[in-house]
């Protein structure tokens, strides 16, 4: 792990735009943002990529925002800032309806035409171009790299102040211990659940996409098996500021990641394929009109089941041509 981390870890500062332009050659680059109700942040991200990486220089050829059934002005804001907006449902028409971030990512990959595809979360604040150039660096300069994962400091802002690395609670409490236990080859990834990553389109099209919050976990595990650890890399992107979820939401996220890991254990024969874990997560909410006697809490049960889109390469012929979302 130490040898891999030393060899396959770089910093965004190592990849100046001029160097990437020289290395790009005839390759096409797509950037995809999955977005659901992100009107407050998506416009600034799109505008930054458009200005610095498309208008000033021709590093990014295609900028796509996948509207994941937003009920706010996400699509309109993204379009006004200069992105091509596609609908998650339009890109998956004719296939079973799935929900969650992973399905939006899959739809974005289906829409993208670049040889290299970078994914960026749409809730980032104080976004800078190096979040994209850092991810592209190893892919454009080294043909042996198939996938690049970002990592960063994640400050957690609370009423008590700012904890410099307080973000990433699901990573530290659940995902990292689990990966170390079953897939120790992946233990060198600083942020295995990071939402910023990039890969060669031909490789990404050969792995399934989990529909919910397990998508990043499944992708790392599946790519490890498909292309091997040496084809995976990571890049330090500095500091990442974004919206944080409450503890109950993090619990549901953790449950989906655990179910995803269980499916991979079963696929590899490391877990009994006849044992299906429950997909119902019981949580407690303090107070409320349905609070139980003596508990002062109501019981909340959530279905955290995850589904998967098959590898895009297997079903590409079934999909409709790319459709830009209506204004």
């Amino acid at each position: 792990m130490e040898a891999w981390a030393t060899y396959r870890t770089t910093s965004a500062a190592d990849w100046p735009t001029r160097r990437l332009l020289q290395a790009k050659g005839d390759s096409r680059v797509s950037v995809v943002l999955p977005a659901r109700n992100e009107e407050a942040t998506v416009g600034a991200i799109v505008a930054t990529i458009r200005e610095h990486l498309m208008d000033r220089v021709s590093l990014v050829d295609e900028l796509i925002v996948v509207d994941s059934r937003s009920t706010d002005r996400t699509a309109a804001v993204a379009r006004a800032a200069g992105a091509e907006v596609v609908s998650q449902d339009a890109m998956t028409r004719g296939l079973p309806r799935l929900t969650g971030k992973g399905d939006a990512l899959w739809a974005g990959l289906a829409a993208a035409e670049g040889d290299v595809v970078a994914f960026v979360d749409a809730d980032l604040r104080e976004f800078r171009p190096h979040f994209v150039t850092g991810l592209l660096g190893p892919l454009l300069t080294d043909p042996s790299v198939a996938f690049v994962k970002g990592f960063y400091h994640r400050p957690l802002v609370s009423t008590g102040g700012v904890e410099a690395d307080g973000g990433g609670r699901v990573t530290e409490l659940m995902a990292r211990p689990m990966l170390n236990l079953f897939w120790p080859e992946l233990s060198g990834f600083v942020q295995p659940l990071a939402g910023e990553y990039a890969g060669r389109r031909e490789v990404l099209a050969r792995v399934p996409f989990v529909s919910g919050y397990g998508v990043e976990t499944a992708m790392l595990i599946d790519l490890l098996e498909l292309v091997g650890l040496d084809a995976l890399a990571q890049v330090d992107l500095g500091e990442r500021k974004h919206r944080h979820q409450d503890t109950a939401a993090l619990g549901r996220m953790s449950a989906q990641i655990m179910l995803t890991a269980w499916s991979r254990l079963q696929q590899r024969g490391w877990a009994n394929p006849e044992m299906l874990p429950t997909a119902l997560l019981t949580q407690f909410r303090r107070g409320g009109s349905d609070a139980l006697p003596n508990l002062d809490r109501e019981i909340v049960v959530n279905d955290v089941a995850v589904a998967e889109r098959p590898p895009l390469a297997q079903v590409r012929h079934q999909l409709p041509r790319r459709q830009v979302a209506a204004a």
Side-chain angles (χ1 to χ4, degrees), residues 33-39 65-76 79 85-108 122 210-212 307 309 325-326:
L33 281 73
R36 179 178 174 85
N37 295 335
E38 300 292 0
E39 66 176 355
V65 169
V66 181
D67 182 18
S68 183
R69 304 169 190 144
S70 297
T71 57
D72 66 0
R73 298 182 62 254
T74 291
R79 188 180 297 106
V85 178
V86 299
S87 162
Q88 176 180 339
D89 289 330
M91 290 307 307
T92 58
R93 190 176 67 246
L95 300 177
R97 179 183 170 91
L98 299 181
T99 60
K101 177 185 177 183
D103 192 48
L105 291 168
W106 192 91
V210 171
S211 62
R309 290 289 185 205

Side-chain angles (χ1 to χ4, degrees), residues 3-297:
W4 172 84
T6 300
Y7 175 55
R8 285 304 196 196
T9 302
T10 57
S11 169
D14 297 329
W15 307 111
T17 303
R18 181 176 299 178
R19 180 182 177 187
L20 300 187
L21 285 170
Q22 294 173 345
K24 180 185 175 185
D26 296 330
S27 297
R28 285 181 55 82
V29 174
S30 300
V31 177
V32 174
L33 281 73
R36 179 178 174 85
N37 295 335
E38 300 292 0
E39 66 176 355
T41 51
V42 69
I45 298 173
V46 168
T48 298
I49 296 172
R50 167 64 68 179
E51 177 185 355
H52 293 275
L53 303 179
M54 300 181 77
D55 295 340
R56 292 187 182 181
V57 298
S58 299
L59 182 63
V60 172
D61 301 288
E62 186 177 51
L63 177 55
I64 298 173
V65 169
V66 181
D67 182 18
S68 183
R69 304 169 190 144
S70 297
T71 57
D72 66 0
R73 298 182 62 254
T74 291
V77 170
R79 188 180 297 106
E84 180 178 353
V85 178
V86 299
S87 162
Q88 176 180 339
D89 289 330
M91 290 307 307
T92 58
R93 190 176 67 246
L95 300 177
R97 179 183 170 91
L98 299 181
T99 60
K101 177 185 177 183
D103 192 48
L105 291 168
W106 192 91
L109 180 63
E113 298 179 349
D115 305 295
V116 173
V117 181
F119 295 100
V120 177
D121 280 348
D123 66 341
L124 303 188
R125 294 182 287 109
E126 300 180 22
F127 180 85
R128 298 291 182 269
H130 73 266
F131 270 73
V132 174
T133 55
L135 296 173
L136 298 178
L139 290 162
L140 294 179
T141 60
D142 187 345
S144 69
V145 175
F147 179 81
V148 178
K149 189 83 165 178
F151 70 93
Y152 28 66
H153 296 289
R154 297 179 65 186
L156 178 62
V157 181
S158 65
T159 55
V162 178
E163 187 177 350
D165 284 303
R169 290 163 287 174
V170 173
T171 294
E172 299 304 329
L173 296 175
M174 194 279 298
R176 193 183 311 284
M178 180 189 66
L179 290 174
N180 274 262
L181 182 62
F182 296 112
W183 293 277
E185 303 97 322
L186 298 175
S187 62
F189 280 93
V190 180
Q191 297 281 355
L193 304 184
E196 283 65 54
Y197 40 87
R200 303 195 185 280
R201 191 178 189 282
E202 61 179 3
V203 173
L204 295 172
R206 294 168 61 194
V207 296
F209 278 51
V210 171
S211 62
Y213 285 112
V215 60
E216 281 86 15
T217 301
M219 192 177 295
L220 274 184
I221 295 170
D222 294 343
L223 286 172
L224 174 66
E225 182 170 298
L226 179 66
V227 299
L229 182 63
D230 190 56
L232 310 180
Q234 63 181 348
V235 173
D236 186 350
L237 300 178
E239 184 175 82
R240 183 187 200 266
K241 296 182 179 179
H242 66 122
R243 181 183 64 252
H244 292 280
Q245 301 193 55
D246 61 33
T247 303
L250 297 181
R252 295 187 290 274
M253 182 188 301
S254 298
Q256 287 198 322
I257 294 170
M258 292 177 70
L259 286 172
T260 300
W262 182 266
S263 72
R264 267 54 192 169
L265 293 173
Q266 287 182 315
Q267 290 172 12
R268 288 153 181 77
W270 299 348
N272 188 338
E274 298 179 359
M275 294 180 60
L276 298 178
T278 179
L280 297 179
L281 176 65
T282 300
Q283 295 178 303
F284 296 91
R285 182 184 298 142
R286 191 166 184 173
S289 58
D290 295 325
L292 297 179
N294 302 323
L295 276 180
D296 190 31
R297 293 166 175 82

Side-chain angles (χ1 to χ4, degrees), residues 298-310:
E298 59 181 357
I299 294 177
V300 180
V301 179
N302 289 284
D303 186 348
V304 294
V306 295
E308 297 187 19
R309 290 289 185 205

